[in-house]
Amino acid sequence: GAGAAMADGEGLLSVDYEVSGKVQGVFFRKYTQGEAKRLGLVGWVQNTSHGTVQGQMQGPVARVRELQEWLRKVGSPQSRISRAEFTNEKKITALEHREFQILK
């Protein structure tokens, strides 16, 4: 099944992220969720009280790298990303989320 396929190759990665710049009120979370789902990643995204967007992504290594690149350079159409930081990168044996959610 699909589970077996995900265990092949490079395995699964979990990474926390925080994106700074003009990233609130420009549909950034919705676009991030859409991109994560397109890539088959799970995790979450939310606005912080200090004007950034943060979250966690989990999935196959290559896909996680793609979303990291997207968060660095693309974002939502109206956004202006000044910095994307990635922390707590670790290999995981199973996904810890069922989907990619926007948290309030």
Side-chain angles (χ1 to χ4, degrees):
M6 299 201 62
D8 294 345
E10 300 179 89
L12 302 171
L13 207 57
S14 176
V15 182
D16 295 348
Y17 60 88
E18 184 167 13
V19 185
S20 309
K22 183 188 169 190
V23 292
Q24 287 192 4
V26 291
F27 300 104
F28 197 90
R29 291 170 301 168
K30 189 156 184 57
Y31 274 86
T32 301
Q33 181 189 46
E35 188 67 10
K37 285 186 169 179
R38 188 182 74 77
L39 291 168
L41 299 176
V42 300
W44 53 272
V45 59
Q46 71 180 167
N47 285 340
T48 69
S49 58
H50 49 277
T52 66
V53 168
Q54 68 176 13
Q56 185 176 73
M57 61 177 96
Q58 296 185 345
V61 176
R63 301 296 194 180
V64 166
R65 295 284 177 246
E66 281 190 63
L67 188 57
Q68 286 179 303
E69 193 71 1
W70 186 90
L71 286 168
R72 276 195 193 98
K73 305 209 166 124
V74 185
S76 68
Q78 304 296 316
S79 66
R80 294 288 177 274
I81 299 163
S82 58
R83 191 171 73 222
E85 291 181 277
F86 302 101
T87 54
N88 298 327
E89 185 171 304
K90 60 181 190 283
K91 287 244 161 102
I92 54 174
T93 52
L95 299 173
E96 297 163 345
H97 309 282
R98 289 181 57 190
E99 57 185 356
F100 197 96
Q101 292 184 289
I102 296 175
L103 303 183
K104 294 288 180 267

